[in-house]
Amino acid sequence: MMGIPYINTVATGQNIDHLRIEAGMSVKDMQAVFGFATPQAIYKWIHGTSMPTIDNLVILAAMFDVTMDEIVAVDNVMSKCV
C-alpha cells in the first residue's frame, strides 16, 4: 500500500484565511490585488469550495511571502498499489 496524495481544499482555505489575517488584509484588499469584480472567488477559496488556479497560487505566495507548499494542504489516503 502507498499513500496517494490529495489536496485538502478546506485546510487550504484555512491556510489562505490565516495568512490573510496575519498579513492584516481584508477580503476586499485581496479582491483589489487580483482585480476581481466581486469577492466571491476569494470566499470560495477560504471556505474550501474551490481552489485558486496555479497562477493565482503564485500571486498568493508572493503576496504573503510564503511558498505554495505553505498554502496548499496535502493529505494522504491509503490505497492499494496495483
Side-chain angles (χ1 to χ4, degrees):
M1 294 185 117
M2 67 178 267
I4 306 296
Y6 74 96
I7 295 173
N8 182 330
T9 58
V10 172
T12 298
Q14 291 169 343
N15 289 346
I16 292 169
D17 201 35
H18 173 77
L19 291 165
R20 174 189 68 80
I21 292 166
E22 198 173 77
M25 295 183 80
S26 68
V27 170
K28 196 161 185 80
D29 294 334
M30 288 179 64
Q31 176 186 343
V33 168
F34 287 95
F36 296 156
T38 68
Q40 300 311 107
I42 295 165
Y43 283 117
K44 286 181 179 181
W45 300 344
I46 289 171
H47 293 123
T49 57
S50 74
M51 285 287 297
T53 59
I54 294 293
D55 54 332
N56 286 338
L57 276 171
V58 170
I59 294 167
L60 285 168
M63 185 172 27
F64 298 134
D65 193 29
V66 296
T67 66
M68 287 192 288
D69 286 341
E70 293 174 82
I71 298 171
V72 178
V74 178
D75 291 336
N76 288 322
V77 171
M78 293 307 287
S79 177
K80 278 188 179 180
C81 187
V82 180

